[in-house]
Amino acid sequence: MRLFIVPISTRRALIYARPVGQEISKERSYIDKITNKAAETWAKWEEAEKGWKKHLVNWGNRVQQRIPYQEWGLKSIPSLASQRRSDKSYGTKKVDVLFPGNAIRSEKLHSLLYALATERQDLHRKRMYWSMLATPLTIPVGLLPVIPNIPFFYLVYRSWSHRRALMGSKHLQYLLEKNLLNPISYPALEKLYAKRVSHALEKTGADTPLIEMVKDVEESDDKLLLRMSDAKKLATILDAPDLALEAERAIVQVQEQLSAHEEEDQKQRPPKEKQT
């Protein structure tokens, strides 16, 4: 497994895990029987031009886009148990963590990762249990003819999603506590972020030394760093095709949050006095 830290803004980052070598076939073969079948069914429903299938697909896609990017990132990290099943030597050597050293100070990477690992654990645990407990209440809906029991499947999916994110966060916490992470400031990421930081921060040029650039990032307000076109670039740079979708989702969500925060600040500012 290899971990990537992708700064979306100067204050927020996406974590993403990519399996390597034999981990890919072993891990995916174990869960693909279910996920592939669900994906095939969903793809068929997407072809519907009208009816409940079309409405369901549109609703489902909107719901998935609203799931926090932090949850998607943690879900990409396999559980510690499954990782040990796919790699018997797991835990005897360090896991590489690739990040741009000109956007994140290496000395602060540990605290960033620890926050990503622990700050949402209670939330995922509570919502997992809530979804599990609420699932039986949807059984009467299944008695309705023709239309499937959407609330039931939704709650089952959310319960699974929260559990997956919780297991991923615990795995990351384990790696941190056992000092099993090997941070690497990746030159290709540094090159991309040099351009994006210089565009986001007026006083910082693309040729600014790494130490000065990361200092400017730390001292700035929260500003969006990535563009939508960067998602596929990241996937290519890191050889992780699935990362493109996760990065796009994170960029959209962070952009919306920053815009909402800016609007709120403007509302709270005192009105300018009219000149007479």
Side-chain angles (χ1 to χ4, degrees):
M1 180 180 69
R2 176 170 285 182
L3 293 173
F4 307 131
I5 302 298
V6 180
I8 305 299
S9 73
T10 54
R11 294 287 180 276
R12 313 178 201 208
L14 167 70
I15 187 169
Y16 183 80
R18 189 201 71 184
V20 294
Q22 294 298 317
E23 298 172 13
I24 297 177
S25 59
K26 290 181 179 180
E27 176 66 12
R28 288 189 174 179
S29 64
Y30 197 76
I31 62 175
D32 271 359
K33 291 181 181 180
I34 298 175
T35 56
N36 283 350
K37 182 63 177 178
E40 290 173 4
T41 302
W42 194 258
K44 291 179 181 178
W45 287 1
E46 285 182 326
E47 296 174 359
E49 296 182 358
K50 58 182 179 179
W52 66 265
K53 291 181 180 179
K54 184 66 175 180
H55 291 298
L56 177 60
V57 166
N58 291 337
W59 173 81
N61 288 336
R62 287 196 299 270
V63 168
Q64 292 204 66
Q65 287 299 321
R66 301 315 302 172
I67 294 175
Y69 69 90
Q70 298 95 326
E71 181 175 332
W72 287 103
L74 290 173
K75 282 164 58 176
S76 71
I77 304 174
S79 69
L80 180 58
S82 66
Q83 189 68 18
R84 283 172 169 165
R85 283 197 300 268
S86 63
D87 182 2
K88 300 301 183 183
S89 65
Y90 189 73
T92 61
K93 54 187 177 180
K94 293 191 174 185
V95 174
D96 290 341
V97 183
L98 275 57
F99 71 102
N102 51 357
I104 300 175
R105 190 183 297 275
S106 58
E107 294 84 356
K108 294 188 176 181
L109 187 63
H110 186 279
S111 60
L112 170 63
L113 288 169
Y114 194 79
L116 290 173
T118 59
E119 65 185 4
R120 295 178 62 86
Q121 282 189 9
D122 287 342
L123 180 146
H124 289 306
R125 186 180 294 104
K126 290 177 182 178
R127 293 190 178 178
M128 177 187 70
Y129 287 132
W130 183 91
S131 298
M132 292 172 61
L133 292 172
T135 298
L137 301 177
T138 66
I139 292 177
V141 181
L143 300 177
L144 298 175
V146 183
I147 300 177
N149 191 342
I150 303 305
F152 172 83
F153 291 112
Y154 172 74
L155 289 173
V156 169
Y157 169 74
R158 293 303 289 135
S159 177
W160 170 84
S161 182
H162 285 300
R163 183 181 183 279
R164 184 73 180 263
L166 179 61
M167 294 299 101
S169 69
K170 288 184 174 182
H171 185 176
L172 179 58
Q173 184 178 358
Y174 165 83
L175 294 174
L176 288 162
E177 292 175 347
K178 298 296 183 180
N179 192 29
L180 288 173
L181 294 178
N182 178 37
I184 300 173
S185 185
Y186 198 50
L189 284 178
E190 291 176 0
K191 184 177 179 179
L192 173 63
Y193 276 91
K195 297 177 181 178
R196 294 299 172 254
V197 171
S198 64
H199 182 268
L201 307 182
E202 295 180 358
K203 67 176 183 178
T204 307
D207 56 350
T208 301
L210 184 148
I211 296 177
E212 294 181 19
M213 182 172 287
V214 73
K215 182 180 178 181
D216 291 342
V217 170
E218 291 177 345
E219 294 176 349
S220 75
D221 295 331
D222 197 3
K223 295 182 180 294
L224 190 70
L225 291 177
L226 296 183
R227 305 169 182 176
M228 288 297 287
S229 59
D230 292 327
K232 291 183 179 178
K233 293 179 183 177
L234 285 166
T236 300
I237 290 172
L238 298 171
D239 190 24
D242 293 343
L243 175 59
L245 178 59
E246 305 302 339
E248 287 177 353
R249 182 184 290 112
I251 292 169
V252 169
Q253 290 184 8
V254 171
Q255 189 173 33
E256 290 177 351
Q257 292 165 8
L258 291 175
S259 297
H261 184 70
E262 185 177 350
E263 290 178 5
E264 188 64 26
D265 283 347
Q266 290 178 350
K267 290 179 181 178
Q268 294 178 358
R269 291 173 187 168
K272 295 181 180 179
E273 295 182 3
K274 295 181 179 181
Q275 295 182 352
T276 57

